[in-house]
């Protein structure tokens, strides 16, 4: 099953798609609740990063999230085939309301739109190493372990 470490979750390979989707669905639905709209966290769109071990699994997971049609949620697949660039990350931050239009931090931006970023670990690690992303920007980080199993 994996161990909770704050908002980070590690999942074994046999449970590839269903559990990340359930975690994301719960987060998105909690952000869409009218009663929660008074809190500052609720005004931000949810930002979930799912780390897949291979390029193929990145594409499969992204397709799975797209088929789920989570409300007001955009999905992006990033790997060596489609790198998670600074520009792409900036768009995600803007769409979720974490970045103001002028590039400043904080509210503003697009707000209200949720994002599921499905990426290879190397792609996301590169963004962290370049300091274009920081872990505190995420609501949930899910690591899909291994390469076995199916979607």
């Amino acid at each position: 099953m994996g161990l909770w470490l704050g908002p980070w979750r590690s999942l074994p390979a046999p449970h590839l798609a269903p559990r990340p989707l359930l975690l994301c669905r719960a987060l998105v639905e909690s952000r869409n609740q009218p009663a929660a709209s008074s809190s500052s966290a609720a005004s931000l769109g949810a930002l979930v990063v799912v780390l897949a071990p291979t390029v193929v699994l990145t594409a499969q997971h992204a397709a799975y999230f797209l088929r789920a049609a989570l409300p007001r949620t955009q999905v992006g697949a990033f790997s060596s085939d489609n790198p998670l660039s600074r520009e792409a990350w900036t768009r995600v931050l803007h769409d979720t309301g974490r970045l103001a239009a002028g590039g400043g931090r904080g509210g503003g931006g697009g707000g209200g739109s949720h994002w599921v970023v499905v990426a290879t670990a190397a792609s996301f690690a590169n963004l962290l190493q370049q300091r274009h992303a920081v872990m505190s920007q995420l609501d949930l980080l899910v690591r899909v372990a291994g390469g076995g199993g199916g979607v």
Side-chain angles (χ1 to χ4, degrees), residues 37-88:
S37 63
S38 60
S39 75
S40 61
S43 65
L44 297 176
L47 176 51
V48 177
V49 173
V50 177
L51 299 178
T54 66
V55 174
V56 171
L57 287 177
T58 299
Q60 288 178 351
H61 277 276
Y64 194 83
F65 281 102
L66 285 169
R67 283 193 308 270
L70 297 173
R72 297 179 15 237
T73 302
Q74 299 181 62
V75 178
F78 300 95
S79 63
S80 57
D81 292 346
N82 179 31
L84 182 55
S85 65
R86 179 181 187 170
E87 294 76 21

Side-chain angles (χ1 to χ4, degrees), residues 10 30 71 74 100:
S10 177
S30 73
Q74 299 181 62

Side-chain angles (χ1 to χ4, degrees), residues 23-148:
L23 293 169
C24 292
R25 184 180 302 280
L27 180 60
V28 166
E29 288 176 358
S30 73
R31 292 287 172 92
N32 287 336
Q33 294 295 324
S37 63
S38 60
S39 75
S40 61
S43 65
L44 297 176
L47 176 51
V48 177
V49 173
V50 177
L51 299 178
T54 66
V55 174
V56 171
L57 287 177
T58 299
Q60 288 178 351
H61 277 276
Y64 194 83
F65 281 102
L66 285 169
R67 283 193 308 270
L70 297 173
R72 297 179 15 237
T73 302
Q74 299 181 62
V75 178
F78 300 95
S79 63
S80 57
D81 292 346
N82 179 31
L84 182 55
S85 65
R86 179 181 187 170
E87 294 76 21
W89 187 250
T90 299
R91 186 179 75 245
V92 168
L93 295 178
H94 181 267
D95 290 350
T96 58
R98 287 167 171 76
L99 192 65
R105 300 218 178 265
S113 180
H114 309 297
W115 260 93
V116 176
V117 173
V118 185
T120 56
S123 183
F124 188 65
N126 182 53
L127 213 63
L128 292 169
Q129 290 168 348
Q130 302 284 325
R131 297 194 175 161
H132 299 313
V134 293
M135 295 299 287
S136 62
Q137 294 168 327
L138 310 183
D139 290 307
L140 182 66
L141 174 66
V142 180
R143 181 182 66 88
V144 178

